[in-house]
Amino acid sequence: MDACPTEDAIRALLENLVDPLLPLKPSPSDVPSKSLRESVAKQVHAVVLLYNYYHRRDHPHLECLSFESFRSLTTVMRPALLPHFKESGEALLEKVIVDACSLSMNLGASSDFSSLKKCPIRKVAVLLVDSKKTCCYLQHSSITQGVWSLLEKTAAAEGQNEETVFQKVAFAAIKEATGINHKDVVILERHLVHSLSEEKTTAKFYIMKCTSAENFSGEFPIEEALNCMQGPLFEKSFSEWSTNSIVEYFHVLPYASLIADWFSRREEAEFVIEKEAEAVCDEMESNGKADESDICPIEDAIRALLENLVDPLLPHKPSPTDVPSKAVRESVAKQVHAVVLLYNYYHRREHPHLECLSFESFRSLTTVMRPALLPHFKEFGDGVLEQTVLLEKVIVDACSLSISLDASSDFSSLKKWPIKKVAVLLVDSKKTCCYLQHSSITQGVWSLLEKTIEREKNAAVECQNEEAIFQKVAFAAIKEATGINHKDVVILERHLVHSLSEEKTTAQFYIMKCTSEDKFSGEFPVEDALNCMQGPLFEKGFSEWSTNFIVEYFHVLPYASLIADWFSRREDTEFVIGKEAEAVCDETESNGKADEVRKDAAAPRSSPKARKKVAPPKTVSRILRGRTVTVVEPSSQVEKVIAFKAKNADSEMSPCKDSYSNGERGGVEVESGSNYQRERDNQRKKAVTDKLKSSLKLNASPVSAHDSNLNLEELQATLLSRASSLSETALKVLHCKRDKLTLQQRDIEDEIAECDKRIKNVKGNWELQLETILESCNEANQRRVIQESHDKSACQSNKRMKLCESLPSTKSMCQKLDDICLENNWVLPNYRVTSTDGGFEAEVRIKETHFAHTICGEEKSDADEARESAAACLLSRLHHNTRQQPSTSRHD
């Protein structure tokens, strides 16, 4: 197999690992923050080791790059790295590269086990598998951004029983990441492995099994992970080199052979290694018992939560004959929902040994502590018996939601669930203060700006870009709460977060900034809010337990870690996410103007300044979740459409008329780390907009006499307001053009392959010589006729099939593959046909944002048959992947 050249390898690694952290337009005067320098240094450390050790291990003839070579290559390819090499305090990046180069040489030289035993053990690594030994637990981006790793934790054992210390560290790592107790874990194997963190150090590697299927059922199929760690680091597609999935498992590579060896014999008799010096378990157990006095017991926790959240809504002297109104029942149910989640999920997440309460346990405890809740559990309605008691349903749902939140800790599960609401953290222009709402969801609790997403069941709405819908809802929430217009808001980040409102649903979380200090100067210091979300839920004063401030931020907890992460790097280079489909803003604006006519009938809204302010910050916090509100769909407004002529508009756009039945082309979820690509897209959008404006000034002219005197600025504004339609049409044009070129490319490649074959055989073959010359003459005479015919039928033959159209009864493999690509909004596959000694061979490739497939077909006597064979092989692979539903193919 060909080796990826040095420059191409470094470029591919930088693109994958480093680019997401670099600004798109670097400036020599930029001074990266300390946190950014540290993050970039970690990524570059991985680049050096992946090339100097792993890539060169497969291809020893390649040059081993020194620090000077790396510095020269990386700064030429990525000028944005130059400020990181400047000595701003300390030359961190230089030290990291020098150390990584030295470590690469050391790893290459020390391959025997005897050298390992001489090196100190500096960390512990754990592969935790489920009780069936088929799935494992992996962490993503915990060490290097975009890279998977085992459970790792630094360790030092001086003057103690080393094995005891290492096991204790391993159990602590498992506990921190998964909440699983050491009693539910057994040790299957242990090994000594070279460390990738520091030269001449090692890692103690354990393979451990969780014996309880309830506590851990596994998240990541081991076989899939091992498959992803096979093959070369780089693959070549036509003339471009890119990284393979193995790069995403860089931190697992030192343990891969040991894992594969164990996995191959996992069905054999199992030998369990004893936990060294029972003191490991006993000490942890005794420490746990010693700390029990610091853990709020179940009864005291429920009592404190009821006192804080529910008591204000209950009568002081309850009566068995009291019948709470429907409004009171709904309000109390919301408060109890918060009580259940705060205890069953948040309190137990910190103290997993506590009992998970069922509906019966909650009903028994709450009614004994608060008899005033008894009428809320009775079945009554307004003259009609209700089938389900509201409070009972709320508690059952909250218990189920708590278990679901506990079980689904990985990001892959989030992407499978529907997005039911939008949450917004709105910050001021200085990014120090934010806007929070009080008692908008739960009485006495702070929350972000939240709004449910109501999807209309008409085709126009369903065809919209989902991201455009989410942003529209977010801007509406900001407008309703603060009066701030979308034009004064920019999007800094967006994430997918578990929802606290409904089981197996998610919230689209935005961090947005108000660019106008006059309209919003901030009300709530972000740092104070984060401080209030630290610490335990309960504190003990003398002999009585009470809730901490963190309870008052219950609805912000699902987003706390994301807010803290953003806040820590807010001074770094700012990346702004483009507002999807300009119609988001324009429609919001137009609907807002239409609503102003009816403002005299609406009740005045209280000023946000009048809201209750939080008490001074106190130590308390953890992580976060969300809630729901109804969305009032803005009324429609008649739009004025202006016809216009633009240079080449007819010739460029008409061939693709009606070429799509589905106007959208798959919105992709952008996660932290894709800012680089985002910025490039934003620049491209700006360039297109500027070009449109200049084109309008030169070419735009009204069609009718009535519009002949129309002001040019008004025309431009109207056209820009239709940016969404223009964007859709442009996308159709580009896809139609690409399809046409792809089909032409296939024909050309077939002809090239046929020419190659004839070149090999033409000498001495007079029949072939004569046939070739006659064909050339015929082509010259018929070129004009063929060209005219091709031009007329180009759009029809290359038009994308509507999803609602029925497929022809008989289709070639290439046509079937094209149909699958069109139905999934993928680009059409590319084929490369080459001549062989026995005939022809074809390679087919599909490359999308989140995956890429390249496969070769069987050798055939005909170029078209070779392409059919390649398409059939790829179809088979796609169907196989669909049945298997692999969860580890390529991660974003």
Side-chain angles (χ1 to χ4, degrees):
M1 182 177 290
D2 294 337
C4 178
T6 300
E7 291 189 1
D8 290 323
I10 299 299
R11 184 178 290 106
L13 290 170
L14 289 174
E15 183 177 341
N16 193 349
L17 297 173
V18 181
D19 281 2
L21 299 184
L22 298 180
L24 183 65
K25 290 185 175 180
S27 169
S29 60
D30 284 346
V31 179
S33 66
K34 184 179 178 181
S35 62
L36 182 59
R37 290 203 313 273
E38 291 173 351
S39 298
V40 169
K42 286 181 181 179
Q43 304 299 107
V44 174
H45 175 270
V47 171
V48 177
L49 284 177
L50 281 164
Y51 174 81
N52 257 1
Y53 177 60
Y54 285 105
H55 188 45
R56 286 189 63 255
R57 186 178 64 179
D58 295 334
H59 308 284
H61 66 279
L62 292 175
E63 176 191 2
C64 181
L65 298 182
S66 63
F67 162 72
E68 291 75 16
S69 302
F70 264 110
R71 173 172 177 150
S72 175
L73 272 174
T74 54
T75 51
V76 168
M77 294 177 183
R78 299 295 185 271
L81 283 174
L82 277 169
H84 292 264
F85 282 101
K86 293 180 180 178
E87 295 189 6
S88 48
E90 59 173 322
L92 176 63
L93 188 55
E94 177 177 337
K95 181 179 183 302
V96 165
I97 295 177
V98 170
D99 290 347
C101 289
S102 179
L103 175 58
S104 301
M105 295 177 65
N106 178 259
L107 291 171
S110 55
S111 57
D112 59 325
F113 182 74
S114 60
S115 63
L116 281 177
K117 294 192 290 184
K118 299 175 184 177
C119 300
I121 300 173
R122 290 285 186 253
K123 68 178 178 181
V124 169
V126 181
L127 175 73
L128 180 66
V129 301
D130 64 343
S131 57
K132 295 179 181 178
K133 295 186 284 188
T134 57
C135 294
C136 64
Y137 186 94
L138 295 180
Q139 292 182 311
H140 194 261
S141 300
S142 63
I143 304 173
T144 302
Q145 287 294 318
V147 177
W148 294 92
S149 64
L150 304 182
L151 294 170
E152 293 193 8
K153 197 174 179 71
T154 54
E158 297 179 3
Q160 304 178 48
N161 183 330
E162 285 193 341
E163 181 60 26
T164 301
V165 174
F166 298 144
Q167 288 187 18
K168 185 176 178 181
V169 171
F171 291 135
I174 293 172
K175 180 80 170 177
E176 289 174 10
T178 67
I180 297 171
N181 196 282
H182 64 88
K183 289 186 175 181
D184 295 320
V185 176
V186 294
I187 306 172
L188 302 182
E189 291 191 8
R190 61 185 170 204
H191 302 274
L192 210 54
V193 180
H194 281 291
S195 172
L196 295 184
S197 307
E198 187 181 349
E199 185 180 0
K200 293 182 179 178
T201 63
T202 56
K204 192 77 171 182
F205 171 48
Y206 292 97
I207 299 177
M208 297 188 176
K209 182 182 77 171
C210 178
T211 55
S212 170
E214 295 178 358
N215 290 339
F216 177 67
S217 57
E219 299 180 357
F220 213 109
I222 300 171
E223 190 171 9
E224 296 289 347
L226 290 172
N227 289 338
C228 288
M229 289 185 279
Q230 293 176 359
L233 269 68
F234 307 97
E235 65 175 358
K236 189 174 184 180
S237 170
F238 300 103
S239 60
E240 184 180 344
W241 287 92
S242 59
T243 57
N244 258 326
S245 60
I246 188 173
V247 170
E248 297 175 13
Y249 293 82
F250 162 60
H251 288 295
V252 190
L253 293 181
Y255 318 97
S257 60
L258 295 170
I259 297 171
D261 176 61
W262 164 81
F263 190 70
S264 66
R265 48 186 172 75
R266 69 190 185 283
E267 300 299 336
E268 299 173 6
E270 183 177 279
F271 296 96
V272 175
I273 299 174
E274 289 188 15
K275 297 174 183 176
E276 286 285 327
E278 286 299 320
V280 172
C281 302
D282 297 334
E283 183 183 347
M284 295 179 74
E285 186 70 21
S286 61
N287 288 339
K289 290 180 180 177
D291 294 338
E292 280 185 4
S293 60
D294 298 329
I295 300 173
C296 182
I298 296 175
E299 290 80 2
D300 291 321
I302 300 299
R303 183 178 289 106
L305 290 171
L306 289 173
E307 181 179 338
N308 190 349
L309 297 173
V310 181
D311 281 2
L313 300 184
L314 298 179
H316 184 61
K317 292 184 178 181
S319 169
T321 59
D322 285 345
V323 178
S325 66
K326 184 177 180 181
V328 172
R329 291 202 309 273
E330 290 174 351
S331 298
V332 168
K334 286 182 181 179
Q335 304 299 107
V336 174
H337 176 269
V339 170
V340 176
L341 284 178
L342 281 165
Y343 172 79
N344 255 1
Y345 177 60
Y346 285 106
H347 189 45
R348 285 190 63 255
R349 188 179 63 184
E350 298 303 314
H351 310 289
H353 67 280
L354 292 175
E355 177 191 359
C356 181
L357 298 182
S358 63
F359 162 72
E360 291 75 15
S361 301
F362 265 110
R363 173 171 178 153
S364 174
L365 274 172
T366 54
T367 51
V368 168
M369 294 178 184
R370 298 294 185 272
L373 283 174
L374 278 169
H376 292 265
F377 284 101
K378 293 180 180 178
E379 296 185 356
F380 51 78
D382 298 331
V384 180
L385 191 69
E386 294 183 351
Q387 291 183 351
T388 305
V389 181
L390 178 61
L391 187 55
E392 177 178 336
K393 182 181 184 302
V394 164
I395 295 176
V396 170
D397 290 347
C399 288
S400 180
L401 176 57
S402 301
I403 296 172
S404 168
L405 292 172
D406 220 8
S408 53
S409 58
D410 61 323
F411 183 74
S412 59
S413 63
L414 282 179
K415 295 191 289 185
K416 299 174 185 176
W417 296 345
I419 300 173
K420 291 296 184 72
K421 67 177 179 182
V422 167
V424 181
L425 175 73
L426 180 66
V427 299
D428 64 343
S429 57
K430 296 178 180 178
K431 297 186 282 189
T432 57
C433 294
C434 65
Y435 186 94
L436 296 180
Q437 292 182 310
H438 195 263
S439 301
S440 63
I441 305 169
T442 302
Q443 289 294 319
V445 177
W446 294 93
S447 64
L448 304 182
L449 295 168
E450 294 194 7
K451 200 172 181 68
T452 50
I453 300 168
E454 291 185 353
R455 301 174 187 271
E456 291 184 5
K457 294 188 177 179
N458 64 61
V461 173
E462 288 179 359
C463 287
Q464 289 182 29
N465 184 329
E466 276 199 336
E467 178 60 25
I469 296 174
F470 300 149
Q471 290 186 15
K472 179 182 172 183
V473 173
F475 292 133
I478 293 173
K479 180 79 172 179
E480 290 175 10
T482 66
I484 297 171
N485 195 283
H486 63 85
K487 292 183 178 178
D488 296 315
V489 176
V490 294
I491 306 171
L492 302 182
E493 290 190 10
R494 61 184 169 207
H495 303 274
L496 209 54
V497 180
H498 285 288
S499 172
L500 293 186
S501 307
E502 187 181 346
E503 185 180 359
K504 293 185 178 179
T505 63
T506 56
Q508 183 84 330
F509 170 49
Y510 292 98
I511 299 177
M512 297 188 177
K513 182 181 77 172
C514 179
T515 54
S516 171
E517 191 171 348
D518 296 336
K519 295 184 178 178
F520 178 66
S521 57
E523 301 182 356
F524 209 110
V526 178
E527 190 170 8
D528 288 354
L530 290 172
N531 289 336
C532 288
M533 289 186 280
Q534 293 175 358
L537 269 67
F538 307 97
E539 64 177 356
K540 192 174 185 179
F542 298 104
S543 60
E544 186 178 341
W545 287 91
S546 60
T547 58
N548 256 325
F549 276 104
I550 188 172
V551 171
E552 297 178 15
Y553 292 82
F554 162 60
H555 288 296
V556 189
L557 292 182
Y559 319 96
S561 61
L562 296 171
I563 297 172
D565 175 62
W566 164 81
F567 191 70
S568 67
R569 49 184 170 77
R570 69 190 183 283
E571 301 300 334
D572 298 342
T573 306
E574 182 176 281
F575 297 95
V576 176
I577 298 174
K579 296 175 182 177
E580 291 282 331
E582 289 297 325
V584 171
C585 302
D586 300 324
E587 188 178 346
T588 304
E589 181 71 17
S590 60
N591 289 335
K593 290 178 180 177
D595 290 339
E596 285 179 5
V597 180
R598 297 185 294 277
K599 265 194 174 178
D600 54 345
R605 185 180 295 277
S606 60
S607 169
K609 296 280 186 181
R611 296 182 298 109
K612 173 185 172 184
K613 290 286 183 180
V614 72
K618 200 172 185 179
T619 57
V620 201
S621 154
R622 230 357 352 173
I623 306 186
L624 340 156
R625 308 280 130 166
R627 89 23 145 209
T628 355
V629 182
T630 51
V631 175
V632 180
E633 282 294 327
S635 59
S636 58
Q637 185 180 2
V638 178
E639 296 178 340
K640 182 179 180 181
V641 180
I642 300 176
F644 70 101
K645 288 182 187 174
K647 186 178 180 181
N648 297 330
D650 293 332
S651 61
E652 289 293 324
M653 298 175 70
S654 59
C656 292
K657 186 177 180 181
D658 295 332
S659 60
Y660 273 107
S661 63
N662 183 358
E664 100 179 71
R665 179 83 178 172
V668 177
E669 182 67 27
V670 178
E671 302 162 17
S672 60
S674 47
N675 295 325
Y676 178 74
Q677 185 62 38
R678 261 188 254 139
E679 282 296 297
R680 293 204 307 186
D681 292 344
N682 292 340
Q683 282 197 339
R684 185 163 60 248
K685 288 178 184 177
K686 186 178 184 300
V688 172
T689 304
D690 293 342
K691 189 177 288 186
L692 172 64
K693 290 180 179 179
S694 62
S695 174
L696 288 174
K697 289 178 182 178
L698 296 173
N699 304 311
S701 60
V703 170
S704 63
H706 174 72
D707 292 326
S708 59
N709 296 322
L710 187 66
N711 184 278
L712 180 60
E713 291 183 1
E714 183 182 349
L715 175 61
Q716 293 178 15
T718 307
L719 290 175
L720 290 175
S721 73
R722 303 297 299 163
S724 177
S725 300
L726 289 172
S727 174
E728 264 184 33
T729 305
L731 195 59
K732 294 175 185 177
V733 169
L734 289 172
H735 278 296
C736 181
K737 184 175 181 180
R738 191 190 187 283
D739 292 350
K740 178 180 177 180
L741 292 173
T742 299
L743 294 173
Q744 289 175 354
Q745 182 187 23
R746 292 180 189 176
D747 294 336
I748 292 170
E749 286 176 347
D750 287 354
E751 290 180 17
I752 291 172
E754 183 66 34
C755 284
D756 289 341
K757 191 171 184 66
R758 290 190 177 190
I759 288 169
K760 291 179 182 179
N761 303 325
V762 73
K763 191 173 182 180
N765 189 335
W766 66 268
E767 290 182 356
L768 183 58
Q769 294 168 4
L770 184 60
E771 182 184 350
T772 303
I773 294 170
L774 288 174
E775 282 183 2
S776 178
C777 293
N778 289 335
E779 287 174 2
N781 292 332
Q782 298 177 10
R783 186 174 292 126
R784 182 174 300 173
V785 177
I786 294 172
Q787 183 62 42
E788 290 175 357
S789 174
H790 186 273
D791 288 341
K792 290 179 181 178
S793 61
C795 179
Q796 203 64 25
S797 62
N798 295 322
K799 185 174 70 173
R800 292 187 164 236
M801 180 172 291
K802 296 183 180 180
L803 298 178
C804 59
E805 291 177 355
S806 59
L807 298 175
S809 55
T810 58
K811 288 198 170 206
S812 68
M813 290 298 174
C814 291
Q815 288 174 323
K816 290 180 180 179
L817 184 57
D818 288 350
D819 290 340
I820 288 178
C821 292
L822 296 176
E823 289 168 7
N824 289 279
N825 281 327
W826 302 338
V827 297
L828 287 180
N830 286 320
Y831 293 87
R832 182 167 57 182
V833 182
T834 56
S835 64
T836 62
D837 293 339
F840 298 91
E841 193 175 77
E843 179 188 79
V844 60
R845 177 177 175 82
I846 297 177
K847 186 173 183 180
E848 281 290 328
T849 307
H850 299 294
F851 70 89
H853 288 297
T854 303
I855 197 166
C856 289
E858 299 174 356
E859 188 178 66
K860 298 291 183 181
S861 59
D862 180 77
D864 189 59
E865 290 179 5
R867 192 149 26 86
E868 286 289 295
S869 173
C873 291
L874 185 50
L875 281 170
S876 177
R877 176 183 287 186
L878 292 174
H879 290 318
H880 175 74
N881 289 351
T882 304
R883 290 195 301 269
Q884 295 296 323
Q885 293 183 343
S887 58
T888 62
S889 49
R890 294 275 296 184
H891 300 272
D892 320 9

Short mmCIF file of all heavy atoms in Angstrom, two decimals, residues 33 46 242 254 311 317-318 455 521 712 776 790 824 878:
data_model
loop_
_atom_site.label_atom_id
_atom_site.label_comp_id
_atom_site.label_asym_id
_atom_site.label_seq_id
_atom_site.Cartn_x
_atom_site.Cartn_y
_atom_site.Cartn_z
N SER A 33 -5.09 33.07 24.48
CA SER A 33 -5.18 32.93 25.93
C SER A 33 -4.45 31.67 26.38
O SER A 33 -4.12 30.79 25.59
CB SER A 33 -6.64 32.85 26.36
OG SER A 33 -7.23 31.66 25.87
N ALA A 46 -0.64 15.26 19.84
CA ALA A 46 -1.21 14.09 19.17
C ALA A 46 -0.73 14.00 17.72
O ALA A 46 -0.43 12.92 17.21
CB ALA A 46 -2.74 14.13 19.23
N SER A 242 -6.68 11.93 3.38
CA SER A 242 -7.45 12.31 4.58
C SER A 242 -7.21 11.25 5.66
O SER A 242 -6.73 10.15 5.38
CB SER A 242 -8.95 12.42 4.27
OG SER A 242 -9.43 11.18 3.78
N PRO A 254 -2.41 2.34 22.25
CA PRO A 254 -1.41 1.59 23.03
C PRO A 254 -1.97 0.30 23.64
O PRO A 254 -1.21 -0.61 23.97
CB PRO A 254 -0.99 2.58 24.13
CG PRO A 254 -1.32 3.93 23.58
CD PRO A 254 -2.54 3.73 22.75
N ASP A 311 -44.47 23.71 49.70
CA ASP A 311 -45.22 24.33 50.81
C ASP A 311 -45.86 25.66 50.47
O ASP A 311 -47.00 25.93 50.90
CB ASP A 311 -44.30 24.49 52.03
CG ASP A 311 -44.13 23.17 52.77
OD1 ASP A 311 -44.69 22.15 52.32
OD2 ASP A 311 -43.43 23.15 53.81
N LYS A 317 -53.73 25.06 56.85
CA LYS A 317 -54.54 24.08 57.59
C LYS A 317 -55.39 23.28 56.60
O LYS A 317 -56.49 23.67 56.25
CB LYS A 317 -55.44 24.80 58.60
CG LYS A 317 -54.67 25.45 59.74
CD LYS A 317 -55.63 26.06 60.75
CE LYS A 317 -54.87 26.68 61.92
NZ LYS A 317 -55.80 27.26 62.93
N PRO A 318 -54.85 22.16 56.13
CA PRO A 318 -55.58 21.38 55.13
C PRO A 318 -56.83 20.71 55.71
O PRO A 318 -56.88 20.37 56.90
CB PRO A 318 -54.56 20.33 54.69
CG PRO A 318 -53.65 20.18 55.87
CD PRO A 318 -53.58 21.53 56.51
N ARG A 455 -44.53 22.04 15.95
CA ARG A 455 -44.37 21.79 14.51
C ARG A 455 -45.74 21.71 13.85
O ARG A 455 -46.52 20.81 14.15
CB ARG A 455 -43.60 20.49 14.27
CG ARG A 455 -42.23 20.52 14.92
CD ARG A 455 -41.58 19.16 14.78
NE ARG A 455 -40.34 19.10 15.52
CZ ARG A 455 -39.16 19.43 15.01
NH1 ARG A 455 -39.07 19.83 13.76
NH2 ARG A 455 -38.07 19.36 15.74
N SER A 521 -27.77 45.47 28.88
CA SER A 521 -26.46 45.56 29.52
C SER A 521 -26.24 44.42 30.50
O SER A 521 -25.24 44.39 31.20
CB SER A 521 -26.34 46.90 30.26
OG SER A 521 -27.39 47.03 31.21
N LEU A 712 -34.32 51.28 -6.44
CA LEU A 712 -33.38 50.15 -6.47
C LEU A 712 -33.14 49.59 -5.07
O LEU A 712 -33.04 48.37 -4.88
CB LEU A 712 -32.04 50.61 -7.07
CG LEU A 712 -30.95 49.54 -7.17
CD1 LEU A 712 -31.43 48.38 -8.03
CD2 LEU A 712 -29.67 50.13 -7.74
N SER A 776 -13.53 8.20 -35.14
CA SER A 776 -13.10 9.59 -35.00
C SER A 776 -13.74 10.48 -36.05
O SER A 776 -14.18 11.59 -35.77
CB SER A 776 -11.57 9.66 -35.09
OG SER A 776 -11.14 11.00 -34.99
N HIS A 790 -27.93 16.67 -26.89
CA HIS A 790 -27.53 16.54 -25.48
C HIS A 790 -27.99 17.74 -24.67
O HIS A 790 -28.46 17.61 -23.55
CB HIS A 790 -26.01 16.40 -25.40
CG HIS A 790 -25.54 16.13 -24.00
ND1 HIS A 790 -25.26 17.14 -23.11
CD2 HIS A 790 -25.31 14.95 -23.35
CE1 HIS A 790 -24.88 16.62 -21.97
NE2 HIS A 790 -24.89 15.30 -22.08
N ASN A 824 -31.48 10.21 0.20
CA ASN A 824 -30.84 10.56 1.47
C ASN A 824 -30.15 11.92 1.42
O ASN A 824 -29.45 12.28 2.36
CB ASN A 824 -29.82 9.49 1.87
CG ASN A 824 -30.48 8.20 2.30
OD1 ASN A 824 -30.93 8.07 3.44
ND2 ASN A 824 -30.56 7.25 1.39
N LEU A 878 -23.87 -0.82 2.01
CA LEU A 878 -24.84 0.10 2.62
C LEU A 878 -25.98 -0.66 3.28
O LEU A 878 -26.42 -0.34 4.39
CB LEU A 878 -25.38 1.08 1.57
CG LEU A 878 -24.38 2.10 1.03
CD1 LEU A 878 -25.01 2.90 -0.11
CD2 LEU A 878 -23.94 3.05 2.13
#
